[in-house]
Amino acid sequence: MPVAKLKEYLENHHVKYSCLSHSVAFTAQEVAASAHVSGKNLAKVVIVKVGGQLAMVVLPAHDHVNFAILKSATGSDDVDLASESAFKNQFPECEVGAMPPFGNLYDVPVYASSQLSTFDKILFNAGTHTELMQLAYQDFERLVKPKIIASR
């Protein structure tokens, strides 16, 4: 079952979505293989610290966070990966590493790769290592209002 908070939020905003269950998987490649989907539309979440505050970076599963671009986009030289212990309590109903890209529901700013805007739909972890959710990228951008950052 997807995170109840996210499901309710999407339904309250009349967003069409679908859910897909799969066997336990942790990496983006494992998730795509386990769910029998192309990794091309799979978005992953990376939690970082910007100036000591948590932030979420959403990018295509095959991509990596470009810290130079992120520092430029945030205007901070103090940008680094966040440790699991630093963020696990911020997403209480989510399994660590399976947070959906809706930082707005958790008071966490969201930075999204410009590459995602080329996707019609995005797939992402729905709070567990066994659930994916899919929705139109435009709905994601409209609801989350992420700061779009260059992909390279």
Side-chain angles (χ1 to χ4, degrees), residues 3 6 11 40-41 52 57 78 89 104 114 119 123-125 130 132 141:
V3 177
L6 176 57
E11 289 172 1
K40 290 180 183 174
N41 290 3
V57 179
D78 184 18
N89 294 329
N104 56 313
S114 60
F119 297 178
L123 275 163
F124 52 86
N125 284 324
T130 59
L132 288 176
E141 189 172 330

Side-chain angles (χ1 to χ4, degrees), residues 6-83:
L6 176 57
K7 188 175 180 185
E8 180 180 342
Y9 180 73
L10 294 174
E11 289 172 1
N12 287 341
H13 286 86
H14 310 288
V15 171
K16 292 182 181 183
Y17 64 89
S18 59
C19 298
L20 178 63
S21 295
H22 59 85
S23 58
V24 176
F26 296 96
T27 68
Q29 294 90 344
E30 289 173 346
V31 169
S34 179
H36 305 290
V37 297
S38 168
K40 290 180 183 174
N41 290 3
L42 192 59
K44 69 179 176 184
V45 170
V46 177
I47 305 298
V48 297
K49 279 196 167 184
V50 177
Q53 300 297 312
L54 292 177
M56 182 179 279
V57 179
V58 185
L59 60 163
H62 65 272
D63 211 352
H64 298 284
V65 175
N66 182 317
F67 284 94
I69 290 173
L70 191 56
K71 286 177 182 180
S72 176
T74 62
S76 175
D77 285 332
D78 184 18
V79 179
D80 204 357
L81 287 174
S83 66

Side-chain angles (χ1 to χ4, degrees), residues 75-110:
S76 175
D77 285 332
D78 184 18
V79 179
D80 204 357
L81 287 174
S83 66
E84 286 184 1
S85 62
F87 67 79
K88 67 179 178 181
N89 294 329
Q90 190 75 31
F91 308 94
E93 66 274 6
C94 298
E95 293 176 6
V96 175
M99 296 79 63
F102 284 76
N104 56 313
L105 298 180
Y106 301 95
D107 297 318
V108 175
V110 179

